Amino acid sequence: MTIATMMQQQCFVAGIWVDADSRKTISVTNPANGEQIGTVPNCGAAETEKAIAAAAEAFKSWSKTDISYRVGLLRKLHAALLENQESLAQLLTLEQGKPLAESRGEIAIGAAYILWFAEEIRRAKGEIIPSPSNDRKLLVTHQPVGVVGAITPWNFPSSMLARKLGPALAAGCTVVAKPATATPYSGLAWAALCEQVGFPAGVVNILTGSSSDIGGAIMASPQVRKVTFTGSTEVGKTLIRQSAETVKKVSMELGGNAPFIVFDDADIDAAIEGAMISKYRNMGQTCVCTNRFYVQSGIHDEFVSRLKQATADLTVGDGMHAGVEQGPLIDANAVSKVEQMIADATAKGGHIAEGGQRHSLGGTYFQPTVITNANADMQFATDEIFGPLSAVFQFQHEKQAIAAANATEFGLAAYAYTRDVGRVFRLSDELEYGLIGINSGLITTVEVPFGGLKESGLGKEGGSQGLSDYLETKYTALAGI
């Protein structure tokens, strides 16, 4: 498919491409230039209820299909993603703004998630438990949970849907998905590919439109048995409260406030490389990107000097252009938030070592920024930045760094650089985070569980754990044998 044919401007319900009942649409703009690239339907509760009904009907047969049949379709989907990688990547960059190289990587890891769960479903084994008496057998089996509601964010609009579709479809669940309105085309492209490779009607349904109306209908429906959400902690808490009415299973991948700790004994070359990856990927708009750099006093000045230079060397521009490393932020609100944090920091003694202003390119472009002399009273010490701003704190000893790193309600990702083996194990034990990278700033891979602690979420995506969230466990006692 070309980028034009991949960019679907209708929703996909019960195997049919449809408009909103009201015919109302939402404009989608390119953050690189502010130009409209198309529209998508502005659906609400009525359309969502139709999609849920279609998914519930399809579940009756899909949940009983052979594993080999589902695996075969998932493998075809994996192949289709890779065959169309360039068009999908261009579409992603067009609506989201990230550099094309990053978009290609996102499509690739999304395809890898599909393949992983196609393989992992074959290992979703039950148990025969030894019985206390000889006249019975005790069986534990697994079955698909049912209709799944999936709500995905704008920062990784393709791979976040892959993490949800892969395990759901492998397990035998059907899906009603709502991509973010800022980046709907990457989500709708999944529907086009699922249709192309032959998934039955109603198994995958994708709607665009009002977050409150679509989300509200998903949460209210007793037919939706599982909801998986990636987004802000505030919205996640609302969904968790709403899930109580029908006692849904929920998976929540929420906000983060990742610390990046650099000890005096660190390999500074590796630390700078990891810092640039973990901070500036997707212009700092990732839930696992570094929010706070904690640098030990003995290496602080050198690290800051190196980080400042590397930040200044980043190429900012339209993500579709070759060599660009930093695209625009998603919208004006994102720019305002970064500016607010910089103003707060400088008012409290922070020093702008690099950047600190809107970029000369205009629009939502922003200079990659480094602020030093950061302290715990500054807004970014507790709030997620979601922008290209590096905040550098200085510390003296290990316990101080760990305490500061844990001083947040979030617990998604943390990074640390050290060559002390004993310290590595202490950090693994004491950092209150679901994902910990030691001497690496890029740690996500399909084979491992992805998810946070504390207010960063519930459940895991990826790994064998990512499949279990889409399965119910059932116990059967066979007596009189």
Side-chain angles (χ1 to χ4, degrees), residues 96-401:
Q96 203 275 337
K98 67 178 61 177
L100 190 55
E102 290 190 25
S103 292
R104 293 187 186 110
E106 181 172 341
I107 302 305
I109 196 170
Y113 273 110
I114 296 300
L115 183 59
W116 167 259
F117 286 112
E119 297 168 339
E120 191 64 14
I121 188 60
R122 296 184 182 278
R123 295 183 281 274
K125 301 172 183 176
E127 295 178 87
I128 299 178
I129 298 173
S131 172
S133 60
N134 291 329
D135 67 338
R136 61 181 60 202
K137 295 290 184 183
L138 311 181
L139 308 181
V140 174
T141 56
H142 304 293
Q143 62 186 46
V145 66
V147 177
V148 172
I151 303 173
T152 54
W154 53 261
N155 57 337
F156 288 91
S158 186
S159 62
M160 293 300 99
L161 192 50
R163 286 181 179 175
K164 303 175 191 306
L165 282 176
L169 297 176
C173 300
T174 54
V175 179
V176 176
K178 186 218 170 292
T181 54
T183 55
Y185 294 128
S186 291
L188 291 168
W190 279 89
L193 293 173
C194 287
E195 180 185 37
Q196 175 188 311
V197 303
F199 279 88
V203 172
V204 176
N205 306 273
I206 299 185
L207 294 166
T208 59
S210 167
S211 297
S212 58
D213 290 348
I214 294 174
I218 287 173
M219 300 312 297
S221 173
Q223 290 181 298
V224 177
R225 298 309 313 143
K226 152 89 179 179
V227 170
T228 171
F229 169 75
T230 300
S232 72
T233 296
E234 180 183 6
V235 174
K237 288 179 178 180
T238 298
L239 296 177
I240 292 170
R241 284 190 288 267
Q242 292 174 344
S243 74
E245 290 300 315
T246 50
V247 195
K248 302 185 194 303
K249 291 186 72 170
V250 294
S251 296
M252 297 282 150
E253 201 269 277
L254 307 177
N257 188 353
F260 188 108
I261 310 171
V262 186
F263 291 92
D264 285 344
D265 66 339
D267 178 336
I268 195 165
D269 291 331
I272 291 296
E273 180 182 359
M276 299 304 291
I277 293 171
S278 70
K279 174 67 256 183
Y280 294 112
R281 186 163 57 104
N282 197 22
M283 296 74 74
Q285 299 173 125
T286 86
C287 55
V288 296
C289 78
T290 297
N291 215 64
R292 300 163 289 154
F293 286 97
Y294 292 102
V295 186
Q296 199 162 15
S297 55
I299 204 173
H300 175 272
D301 291 352
E302 182 181 0
F303 181 87
V304 167
S305 176
R306 299 272 296 275
L307 179 65
K308 175 183 174 181
Q309 186 60 56
T311 300
D313 289 343
L314 289 170
T315 301
V316 180
D318 187 329
M320 297 290 276
H321 297 165
V324 167
E325 298 165 293
Q326 295 283 281
L329 297 185
I330 190 65
D331 57 26
N333 289 335
V335 174
S336 296
K337 183 179 180 181
V338 174
E339 287 182 321
Q340 176 186 334
M341 289 193 168
I342 292 173
D344 171 79
T346 54
K348 296 172 181 175
H351 172 67
I352 299 175
E354 178 60 38
Q357 298 180 350
R358 298 190 183 211
H359 200 277
S360 60
L361 290 171
T364 60
Y365 292 97
F366 201 88
Q367 294 176 345
T369 299
V370 178
I371 289 185
T372 58
N373 201 34
N375 62 63
D377 294 329
M378 296 175 182
Q379 185 180 355
F380 48 53
T382 53
D383 294 353
E384 193 169 25
I385 298 172
F386 242 62
L389 166 59
S390 294
V392 184
F393 301 70
Q394 187 172 173
F395 73 92
Q396 302 297 322
H397 54 79
E398 179 183 313
K399 289 185 178 180
Q400 179 188 5

Side-chain angles (χ1 to χ4, degrees), residues 374-461:
N375 62 63
D377 294 329
M378 296 175 182
Q379 185 180 355
F380 48 53
T382 53
D383 294 353
E384 193 169 25
I385 298 172
F386 242 62
L389 166 59
S390 294
V392 184
F393 301 70
Q394 187 172 173
F395 73 92
Q396 302 297 322
H397 54 79
E398 179 183 313
K399 289 185 178 180
Q400 179 188 5
I402 292 173
N406 288 337
T408 171
E409 69 268 27
F410 298 109
L412 186 54
Y415 309 92
Y417 279 72
T418 179
R419 286 184 270 200
D420 183 324
V421 175
R423 178 180 287 141
V424 166
F425 285 97
R426 291 192 296 273
L427 292 169
S428 179
D429 289 342
E430 296 179 29
L431 287 174
E432 298 169 352
Y433 292 85
L435 312 169
I436 300 175
I438 304 295
N439 298 327
S440 176
L442 183 61
I443 60 175
T444 303
T445 180
V446 302
E447 295 85 358
V448 300
F450 185 104
L453 309 180
K454 300 193 289 189
E455 293 189 18
S456 284
L458 301 167
K460 304 296 179 184
E461 295 186 316

